[in-house]
Amino acid sequence: MADQKFLHLENIEKRFHIPGKPDYVAVTNVDLEIKQNEIISIIGHSGCGKSTLLNMISGLDMQTGGYIFLQGKEVVGPGPDRAVVFQNHSLLPWLTVYQNIEMAVKKVMPELSKDELKARVEKFVTMVNLDHAKDKLPDEISGGMKQRVGIARALAIKPKVLLMDEPFGALDSLTRANLQEHLMRIQQNVQNTVIIITHDVDEAVLLSDRVIMMTNGPEATIGEILEVNLPRPRDRVALQKDPEYTRCREAILSFLYEKFAKEDE
Amino acid sequence: MKYELARKIVLPMLVFAALIGVWSFIASVVENFPTPTSTYIAAFGGVDADGNEVTGVLADPFYIANDDDKGIFWQILASLERVFSGFIIAIIVGVPLGLMVGMSKSAQYAFDPFIQIFKPVSPLAWLPLLLFIFQDINMTAISTIFVTSIWPIIVNTALGVRNVSPDYLNVAKVLQFTPIEKVRKIILPVAVPFIFTGMRLSLGIAWLVIVAAEMLTGGIGIGFWIWDEYNNLNYHHIIIGIIIVGVVGFLLDLIMGKIADYFDYRKKGRA
Ligand SMILES: Nc1ncnc2c1ncn2[C@@H]1O[C@H](COP(=O)(O)OP(=O)(O)OP(=O)(O)O)[C@@H](O)[C@H]1O
Ligand SMILES: [Mg+2]
């Protein structure tokens, strides 16, 4: 298995039919190769098609042109090998933290015995430090905790790719930083391939191996790809003085606010 | 707290007294209208104004003189049996239909026009047709309750299904739930409170309708009993009947509400 071709997007296009109007081409010409265990982030102005792109990788939406391959197999629909962490966490409100994770694991790994199931669910509850809250309902825990459950639920089904659509977008900046730390720590332990959509320049640099910068829609596409050559584990405070960090931030800022500035924002 | 409790007891008693006052006034104006006292005697027994010993309707609710003359308990039971028979058939038919209409656009397009047209038809309008079809009082009453109960159940079930957030359905897609798993684990938990709201509405209307239906069909049942007592010039019993119908309806709603709360995840486990 060639690592280089782990996840492969080939000439992706997405057009939306709008009755009575010409088709709206949201994204076009997207070619991207993602290596195994790589963390990439996708950044771009609102409405440029980031979610659209992620939905096509997850299979929740179909591209209108091009192909997506995961380990050489074409992606034709949603599946547990591509777990999604939704922006609004989408935990089932009638299930406890534990049950939400359990439901997913039970479905994806039906071969587990009762004890193995319990052990696995508890392992992931612990991984996101939620042991004290495992019997609480989603409405009884904070937004940051909910998002952690969402991450635990996604990781517990052992996906090949973890897809996150602005996972921390709705959180305040302290909680957001806390979750970023969580994510980096988890990644340090269990290697995953992660695609994360973000609006936040610092988040993109802190978390990613590569940052995909998208041009504005309609007909949005990949404008530039930035390699972040920072060693891990990364420390957010120390990074502030790192010249590579500064270079990356400036590259993204210049892309977003000089080359592809959006007037109407 | 104590003051609140006192208000809750004293205020209804004041209204009760006022009602008795109005009633007494009507009784003094309308000839032969039962007075509160004579109605009380008719209900619980005693010696009436003419000096006759009376067994109250409520004092001996279980008597069976013959097939056409049974105590009030049997009348209520007969009505409840019909209501629940029709109501349960309506649930069995209505919930799956509502799930279908809620989940599939095609089913919605197919059924919606007919639901909209039949829903506002008074159930009593169906009665002559159903009587003609079944030629049987009991079947007619039950099927009338069925056509009464089914609409709120279908409509509310479908509403519940449409209330399922697309995010939850995306979770089901990513986990590759089968259609049955999707209904059991995602749709029903959301829809059940709505289904119970529909059932509660249905049961309320069914209880309203059964009284009227029995007046028309005759035989046995609390509705027929009230009408029969009118024909027998037992006006006391009409008033007693009204109060019974009210109390039973209130109890039905109370029980249904408790059951609905039990199945509502939003009201469970909240201390
Ligand atoms: N179902 C749809 N029908 C028509 N147009 C759509 C549909 N979904 C998305 N679009 C359009 O496609 C474009 C890309 O949308 P998308 O949601 O992917 O943007 P985004 O980059 O995720 O934005 P944001 O950062 O605000 O989440 C937008 O212009 C949007 O209006
Ligand atoms: Mg988006």
Side-chain angles (χ1 to χ4, degrees), chain B residues 18-38:
Chain B
L19 281 173
I20 296 287
V22 172
W23 181 358
S24 305
F25 171 74
I26 295 173
S28 68
V29 177
V30 181
E31 207 181 341
N32 286 336
F33 199 88
T35 62
T37 332
S38 61

Side-chain angles (χ1 to χ4, degrees), chain A residues 9 12-16 24-28 30 42 45-65 68 163-166 195 197 214 217-220:
Chain A
L9 276 62
I12 299 297
E13 180 214 69
K14 177 72 184 179
R15 50 177 75 226
F16 290 105
Y24 182 82
V25 180
V27 292
T28 183
V30 173
I42 302 176
H45 289 288
S46 183
C48 72
K50 305 181 293 293
S51 297
T52 305
L53 197 60
L54 200 81
N55 288 344
M56 291 185 291
I57 300 173
S58 69
L60 290 171
D61 202 355
M62 256 338 241
Q63 65 271 22
T64 47
I68 299 174
L163 304 170
M164 308 171 109
D165 192 345
E166 299 192 37
I195 303 177
I197 290 180
M214 287 186 71
E219 305 201 2

Side-chain angles (χ1 to χ4, degrees), chain A residues 60 78-80 86 88 90-94 103 107-108 137 140 153, chain B residues 167-168 170-171 173-177 181 185-186 189-190 265 269-270:
Chain A
L60 290 171
F86 299 90
N88 49 1
S90 67
L91 301 177
L92 303 179
W94 55 89
M103 180 201 66
K107 170 67 190 173
V108 178
L137 291 170
E140 297 165 342
R153 179 175 66 182
Chain B
D167 294 323
Y168 303 162
N170 280 340
V171 173
K173 280 186 201 154
V174 169
L175 294 176
Q176 294 182 326
F177 276 176
E181 283 173 324
K185 296 188 176 167
I186 310 273
V190 178
Y265 72 85
R270 287 296 135 78

